[in-house]
Amino acid sequence: ARMRVTVRLFARLRDIAGSGDLSREAPPGATVADVWRGLVVEFPEMGRYDSSISSAVNADYAKMSAGLSDGDEVAFLPPVSGG
């Protein structure tokens, strides 16, 4: 059975997706990186943030390699830039 996760996007990422809250399916054993890669396929412009993105799972900072469980909330934050 596939998992369903909530994706929260902030700042520029939210602008690109047109929404700050998305719901996405993920295969069992999926990681934060798997969800991110799916978003980049869907919204290619997000790819420019590949190396600088910060991620969190259930409001706790998490590495891209972190595993996910059904119902988790995954957040992606682009780098904060001045100006």
Side-chain angles (χ1 to χ4, degrees):
R2 294 175 74 78
M3 305 185 294
R4 186 162 281 282
V5 296
T6 299
V7 179
R8 310 230 26 227
L9 300 172
F10 294 91
R12 184 76 192 104
L13 300 178
R14 183 172 56 202
D15 297 340
I16 293 169
S19 173
D21 288 283
L22 307 172
S23 182
R24 291 293 179 268
E25 286 194 343
T31 63
V32 173
D34 293 328
V35 174
W36 173 251
R37 280 194 291 269
L39 290 174
V40 171
V41 169
E42 205 173 336
F43 307 103
E45 200 181 333
M46 288 188 190
R48 71 178 64 177
Y49 298 105
D50 259 352
S51 58
S52 55
I53 201 82
S54 296
S55 55
V57 177
N58 299 328
D60 286 324
Y61 173 79
K63 294 187 167 140
M64 293 295 267
S65 57
L68 297 172
S69 302
D70 188 47
D72 277 354
E73 178 186 277
V74 187
F76 294 109
L77 304 88
V80 178
S81 59

